[in-house]
Amino acid sequence: MVAAMRIVIIGNGVAGMEAALAVRNREPSWDITLVSEESDHFFSRTALMWVFSGQMSHRDIEPLERDAYERLGFRRVRARAIGVDTERRQVSFAGGQEPVAYDRLLIASGSRPRPGPWPGSEARGVGHFVTLQDLDWYEREVHGGTSLAGGPPRPRLHATGRSSDSPYRFREVAAERRGRLAQQPAVIGGGLIGIEAVEVAVTAGLRPHFFIREEWFWPIALDPKEALWISDRMAQHGVEVHLEHEIEALDTDSDGNVVAVRTNRGRYPSDCVVIGIGVTPNTAWLAEAGIDLDDRGGIVVDEGLQTSVTDVFAAGDCASVRWFDGTRRPEQLWYTARDQGRVAGRRLLGDAPRYDRGTWYNSVKLMDIEYTTAGLVNWKLDGEENWFFEEKGRVRSTTRIVTQGGHVVGFNMLGRRWDHSVLTRWIEERRTLDWVLRHLNDAAFDTELVPRLRVRRA
Amino acid sequence: MDQQGQNGLLATYREGWRNRSVVGIAFSALLVSFYVVLYWEHKVHQHLGIAPLTAISEAAGLRNRWYLYGALYSVAMITGGIYYLRRHGNSRYNRFRITVNVAIQVALGFTLPFIMPLFGGQELYFSYFWPLKYDYLYPQTLADLPLYFALYTVVGSLLAAPVLAVLYGKRWYCSWVCGCGGLANTFGDPWRHLTSKSTKSWRFEQVSVHLVLFIAIATTFLIGLDSLIGAEHPTFHRIVVGEHWQDWSIKSFYGFTVGAILAGVIGTGLYPVFGPRVWCRNFCPMAAVLGWVQKIGRYRIKVKPGMCISCGNCSTYCEMGIDVRSYAQADESFTRASCVGCGMCAHMCPRGVLKLENTWDRSEDKERQKLSVVDF
Ligand SMILES: Cc1cc2nc3c(=O)[nH]c(=O)nc-3n(C[C@H](O)[C@H](O)[C@H](O)COP(=O)(O)OP(=O)(O)OC[C@H]3O[C@@H](n4cnc5c(N)ncnc54)[C@H](O)[C@@H]3O)c2cc1C
Ligand code: SF4
Ligand code: SF4
């Protein structure tokens, strides 16, 4: 019989919640406290775009029923943590809230949007698309308010103890100040959050500017041919795609509302600007805690997700873990946060599991084009070769298979659905290109009635 | 071009009439009143002195108000089908399914029964089976039916329907053939997100749907017994079948509560409040039977492991109120008895996590992730 522990978890995102569930699953009587500045309920950050468009309600993006805290006996603290005293084992809060003591602590404080480095980045009408509060701001700018299913419950509860630096602060809305909704949004940053912010603006009937610094869209994942297809599709939907644009400043009017984006190539009038240039670990509040951070601000953890301090663990976007290539950095993904949360939960219970990241994979939808990737793509490996096939029939798709030394090391697939678990297995089994092409449809995950892919070998 | 996922984002929660707004509720009230008049026009006539639907039918040259209903039903199916195809028709599965379903219903559910009497035949519905069409297995009904149709009904209800459900899941009927399901998927599509996903609603469904099934079987059994012993036991006969068709009896009680109230007034009238599959999910005895069969058959929804982002699009758009996300985020392939195989969860999923399939292979289902949200 283990003595009852007081578990405190900072963050009720997927990492924090999975850990809390893992603990509760085994220890019905332990004291579990979940701290969140952002929201009362656990919700899926990945789903913000659908709330914006009206495809889902706030309730729909919450994976648990709203009585989950009561039913599972989780203590809810809705406040901003401002420090950890690892000597006295307690967490302190803004707004004069009592500190909370712990025996074991998990930090799962996620990421925060990287702020824009340009003049005007903090103007009224400029924001991000990462937190619930960002969603609230963007909806007010474009739609004038949340959709019919209502806002999140008690959204402004934590107004006390807010700071102008918090990623969970509410922003002033230029549309409300002007008395006119945004007509010409602009999105800066050609990554995944950027394309989501663009797509939802299109759904609202607008024609957003999309500023991308690189030569083509999303070069870490796509090659020029693949990216061209995506850019064309965006243009068809009314997006003004601007490649190779360096932002210089965001111009404001005398009232402080944003009015234009200035780049090295011109000035583009805009009345609402979303900056989507990436996220960084949300760990500034730990500066004084004496917990080791890496140079990106990620919390350094060992393979069991323990930080440099005993009984303090970290999981999810804020943790800097060792990757398969030996480097150390945060993994800013939903499913890795989920898996890390499960491992951290077992650490909080006193087990000694290891967090082991297998072969890389991911999937997203770029506008309406589905994308699956696995293994090493666009790594510019020594002697790598890329086999490319474009299908233009009833189904339009592209298939790119990367080989090195005769073995398949990566897949990049657009337009069809693939089972990445089969693709990663083939990579681990070091299959040849020939073998893979013969068996390719064993990894097909298309819906029924969709004709199978037939590749022609050049 | 063929695609599989939703094309473009939906604005469901920004459209008032789809979200229990005043307009939505008023529309629901209108539908409910329509069904009340349809089923009990004689009562309306007694009290108010008008018979609106009969009057309209006569003006339109239709034999009676049921033909008017058939015509309105066909119009609702077709316009709803067009609405559905415009929203979700970029996927082949959706396109084929809705086209087949609408065609079957317009042909077998309306046109054929309409034409047959013109050629001196009986009005017969080839697209319905017992226990949904509950009176088709009553001995008296069977005796009155043409022999070929009696055989069709018996073999279809007791053999073909379950065997097809073993091979392809209940979807072959509920999503490709059935008139109630067809109306829900076309005319009812705007409200599919309103079906409750709560655990409470799941518990309610499990009790209610099996209760109706029990009543359906018991009623069929008692009426069958009556045809054997009814002549010698007048009291039994009176209770089970009644002297006249309008008397209160077990037979007319089933027709009244299940056939009229649950399937019509509540099942369709409340689409804009509780979502389109109220009847199918909570009351349909055919769905209950096929659900059991589906559990032992080949059909399942396969989950691609480790890719779910818990967004909830699948659960939101599941018209049967299944919390698909809870299985997907636990990497658990699954078969739920109530799943009608409409394919919408796979269609809505932005990460291509889900796939409907027919297979005996259950190996992956066992590789469950123990530590996950669905344990609770
Ligand atoms: C728009 C968008 C789309 C995305 N799409 C995908 C996708 O398709 N696929 C994918 O794999 N990933 C996606 N991601 C990334 C994914 O959402 C994250 O990796 C994941 O949510 C990280 O979870 P987490 O639990 O580590 O942190 P978070 O979800 O960020 O949770 C952080 C928690 O910590 C709390 N917190 C932080 N600081 C404090 C403090 N000082 N005091 C109190 N509480 C605090 C917050 O209240 C919050 O509850 C997307 C992200 C965004 C923004
Ligand atoms: S689980 Fe999927 S296929 Fe089954 S009824 Fe729900 S949405 Fe349709
Ligand atoms: S299965 Fe797909 S739609 Fe459902 S929650 Fe997971 S990612 Fe979202």
Side-chain angles (χ1 to χ4, degrees):
Chain A
M1 181 63 200
V2 197
M5 289 278 168
R6 288 168 304 173
I7 305 290
V8 174
I9 300 174
I10 311 292
N12 69 350
V14 61
M17 185 52 88
E18 281 288 345
L21 291 172
V23 173
R24 181 55 84 230
N25 204 9
R26 214 157 83 193
E27 293 294 351
S29 63
W30 284 15
D31 195 82
I32 301 175
T33 304
L34 277 158
V35 181
S36 172
E37 179 182 2
E38 183 176 19
S39 63
D40 278 358
H41 303 280
F42 163 47
F43 71 96
S44 298
R45 190 173 307 290
T46 51
L48 295 181
M49 63 181 291
W50 295 289
V51 177
F52 184 101
S53 82
Q55 182 160 311
M56 284 194 282
S57 68
H58 275 282
R59 175 64 195 86
D60 291 332
I61 69 165
E62 291 166 10
L64 301 172
E65 288 184 66
R66 281 199 169 158
D67 62 357
Y69 274 70
E70 293 79 63
R71 203 159 37 85
L72 297 165
F74 295 156
R75 199 190 307 274
R76 173 189 281 124
V77 174
R78 180 80 192 272
R80 190 162 70 91
I82 50 171
V84 177
D85 184 338
T86 54
E87 288 296 312
R88 291 162 64 194
R89 295 194 177 223
Q90 60 182 30
V91 180
S92 52
F93 299 100
Q97 191 138 348
E98 280 293 294
V100 171
Y102 65 83
D103 296 314
R104 288 178 187 151
L105 175 69
L106 173 63
I107 301 170
S109 55
S111 315
R112 57 178 303 154
R114 193 191 300 275
W118 316 286
S121 295
E122 290 299 318
R124 199 183 299 111
V126 181
H128 301 277
F129 195 47
V130 172
T131 65
L132 272 187
Q133 288 74 14
D134 293 340
L135 170 66
D136 180 272
W137 161 79
Y138 196 22
E139 281 193 294
R140 281 165 195 270
E141 293 283 12
V142 173
H143 286 295
T146 53
S147 61
L148 288 155
R154 309 198 292 158
R156 288 168 186 273
L157 176 89
H158 68 302
T160 53
R162 252 192 285 158
S163 98
S164 62
D165 177 48
S166 164
Y168 310 110
R169 70 184 182 277
F170 286 95
R171 279 167 196 276
E172 279 186 68
V173 179
E176 288 168 5
R177 183 77 175 210
R178 272 195 313 261
R180 178 176 54 74
L181 293 180
Q183 316 272 299
Q184 180 54 72
V187 175
I188 298 174
L192 291 179
I193 294 178
I195 196 172
E196 289 187 1
V198 162
E199 190 177 1
V200 297
V202 169
T203 310
L206 303 174
R207 297 175 64 94
H209 289 298
F210 192 12
F211 296 105
I212 298 168
R213 190 173 55 187
E214 293 81 12
E215 224 174 313
W216 66 84
F217 172 69
W218 208 26
I220 54 165
L222 304 180
D223 76 3
K225 259 184 290 186
E226 294 161 342
L228 190 64
W229 183 16
I230 309 296
S231 302
D232 282 351
R233 190 55 67 94
M234 285 194 270
Q236 274 169 22
H237 285 272
V239 181
E240 310 279 347
V241 183
H242 305 284
L243 297 170
E244 294 185 272
H245 277 244
E246 283 284 352
I247 307 299
E248 287 175 352
L250 306 180
D251 292 348
T252 53
D253 62 13
S254 55
D255 198 20
N257 303 317
V258 70
V259 289
V261 178
R262 248 188 309 121
T263 77
N264 56 345
R265 302 198 173 194
R267 185 172 183 276
Y268 299 85
S270 290
D271 47 11
C272 169
V273 178
V274 179
I275 300 179
I277 54 171
V279 293
T280 57
N282 185 15
T283 52
W285 62 283
L286 288 169
E288 317 274 282
I291 298 170
D292 283 356
L293 305 179
D294 70 9
D295 50 7
R296 299 165 202 251
I299 302 170
V300 177
V301 292
D302 64 17
E303 66 269 26
L305 303 183
Q306 178 162 275
T307 66
S308 58
V309 178
T310 343
D311 286 338
V312 179
F313 306 89
D317 276 17
C318 63
S320 186
V321 295
R322 199 170 291 286
W323 282 45
F324 58 89
D325 61 349
T327 58
R328 174 181 281 293
R329 54 207 153 112
E331 295 180 301
Q332 288 143 342
L333 287 170
W334 180 264
Y335 67 89
T336 52
R338 178 188 75 162
D339 291 350
Q340 289 178 23
R342 288 176 185 168
V343 169
R346 292 185 51 209
R347 287 302 308 255
L348 293 171
L349 284 160
D351 297 357
R354 289 165 56 99
Y355 173 72
D356 200 4
R357 178 75 155 83
T359 307
W360 161 266
Y361 65 85
N362 200 13
S363 106
V364 294
K365 200 168 166 188
L366 304 163
M367 305 297 282
D368 50 4
I369 301 170
E370 310 202 32
Y371 169 67
T372 305
T373 187
L376 305 177
V377 172
N378 290 10
W379 276 63
K380 301 192 177 66
L381 306 167
D382 288 340
E384 79 166 37
E385 284 177 51
N386 284 260
W387 185 86
F388 185 80
F389 178 75
E390 185 161 14
E391 179 192 19
K392 272 189 178 161
R394 292 199 63 109
V395 181
R396 182 165 175 198
S397 76
T398 64
T399 302
R400 180 151 64 100
I401 303 179
V402 187
T403 57
Q404 188 192 27
H407 304 294
V408 169
V409 293
F411 293 88
N412 226 34
M413 325 287 252
L414 282 169
R416 283 180 175 271
R417 292 182 176 179
W418 298 94
D419 186 342
H420 63 280
S421 64
V422 178
L423 302 179
T424 51
R425 197 180 67 224
W426 289 345
I427 293 171
E428 282 151 21
E429 292 168 354
R430 301 173 61 77
R431 299 291 182 181
T432 61
L433 179 63
D434 242 5
W435 190 95
V436 165
L437 288 179
R438 262 188 316 205
H439 294 83
L440 198 54
N441 274 314
D442 295 351
F445 211 72
D446 295 317
T447 54
E448 291 165 297
L449 307 182
V450 172
R452 283 296 169 89
L453 171 66
R454 281 213 218 101
V455 293
R456 278 190 319 276
R457 304 259 358 228
Chain B
M1 196 175 78
D2 284 334
Q3 286 179 321
Q4 348 196 6
Q6 181 65 40
N7 187 359
L9 306 180
L10 301 176
T12 310
Y13 284 98
R14 295 197 180 273
E15 296 164 24
W17 61 285
R18 301 175 61 185
N19 289 287
R20 300 180 184 144
S21 68
V22 181
V23 185
I25 289 171
F27 188 57
S28 181
L30 196 73
L31 282 174
V32 167
S33 336
F34 170 78
Y35 276 96
V36 169
V37 176
L38 180 71
Y39 287 115
W40 298 287
E41 201 176 39
H42 55 285
K43 293 258 166 70
V44 174
H45 190 243
Q46 257 172 30
H47 293 293
L48 303 176
I50 47 164
L53 295 181
T54 304
I56 298 173
S57 314
E58 277 165 8
L62 294 166
R63 215 166 301 132
N64 58 42
R65 65 182 195 275
W66 296 105
Y67 286 95
L68 175 68
Y69 178 64
L72 288 175
Y73 171 88
S74 298
V75 170
M77 271 295 266
I78 292 169
T79 44
I82 293 168
Y83 177 86
Y84 178 95
L85 288 177
R86 289 177 57 124
R87 284 157 56 86
H88 316 296
N90 63 314
S91 123
R92 275 189 127 195
Y93 184 77
N94 291 351
R95 212 155 56 226
F96 278 48
R97 185 175 74 79
I98 285 299
T99 313
V100 169
N101 198 342
V102 172
I104 290 183
Q105 281 309 316
V106 173
L108 302 184
F110 175 64
T111 313
L112 199 62
F114 181 78
I115 294 176
M116 288 171 98
L118 299 180
F119 295 95
Q122 254 184 50
E123 221 182 285
L124 300 172
Y125 292 87
F126 286 85
S127 51
Y128 291 102
F129 300 96
W130 182 88
L132 178 55
K133 189 85 178 117
Y134 47 91
D135 50 356
Y136 270 11
L137 279 196
Y138 295 167
Q140 196 54 48
T141 322
L142 284 174
D144 291 346
L145 290 171
L147 182 64
Y148 78 93
F149 191 77
L151 278 175
Y152 176 84
T153 296
V154 173
V155 174
S157 303
L158 300 180
L159 196 68
V163 167
L164 285 170
V166 167
L167 295 178
Y168 304 109
K170 76 203 268 190
R171 56 182 168 155
W172 83 265
Y173 190 72
C174 301
S175 286
W176 289 74
V177 173
C178 180
C180 310
L183 191 66
N185 270 177
T186 52
F187 177 64
D189 185 67
W191 302 287
R192 56 161 51 241
H193 61 291
L194 296 179
T195 307
S196 171
K197 276 85 201 175
S198 68
T199 317
K200 261 195 221 119
S201 70
W202 185 9
R203 297 228 175 87
F204 178 86
E205 157 205 326
Q206 286 172 316
V207 173
S208 62
V209 81
H210 293 119
L211 191 67
V212 175
L213 175 64
F214 172 78
I215 300 174
I217 293 175
T219 308
T220 310
F221 173 78
L222 289 174
I223 291 171
L225 195 63
D226 173 71
S227 69
L228 297 177
I229 64 161
E232 299 108 71
H233 298 84
T235 323
F236 178 80
H237 180 70
R238 212 171 35 250
I239 293 173
V240 174
V241 187
E243 304 289 343
H244 304 286
W245 67 267
Q246 71 269 58
D247 288 352
W248 276 109
S249 64
I250 290 178
K251 184 177 173 185
S252 70
F253 173 79
Y254 187 85
F256 173 78
T257 49
V258 179
I261 306 239
L262 296 182
V265 179
I266 292 181
T268 310
L270 297 184
Y271 276 8
V273 181
F274 293 120
R277 289 267 191 179
V278 179
W279 158 255
C280 314
R281 177 187 187 188
N282 297 298
F283 308 115
C284 176
M286 179 104 180
V289 174
L290 295 185
W292 287 345
V293 178
Q294 167 157 289
K295 289 287 272 187
I296 57 167
R298 297 195 306 169
Y299 171 76
R300 70 161 176 189
I301 295 181
K302 182 171 174 176
V303 172
K304 182 155 90 180
M307 194 61 97
C308 173
I309 54 169
S310 301
C311 65
N313 276 296
C314 51
S315 299
T316 304
Y317 287 88
C318 176
E319 54 190 353
M320 295 305 278
I322 297 170
D323 190 1
V324 183
R325 164 171 53 195
S326 66
Y327 299 91
Q329 64 193 1
D331 297 341
E332 186 183 336
S333 299
F334 68 101
T335 310
R336 271 277 291 270
S338 63
C339 169
V340 289
C342 64
M344 194 55 78
C345 49
H347 182 68
M348 294 303 299
C349 175
R351 298 294 175 265
V353 172
L354 307 162
K355 180 172 185 267
L356 280 58
E357 62 179 17
N358 305 310
T359 169
W360 288 117
D361 177 18
R362 284 287 178 276
S363 48
E364 291 131 25
D365 299 27
K366 295 189 196 82
E367 294 171 19
R368 291 184 184 174
Q369 284 280 353
K370 239 0 237 164
L371 293 180
S372 73
V373 175
V374 285
D375 286 356
F376 298 89

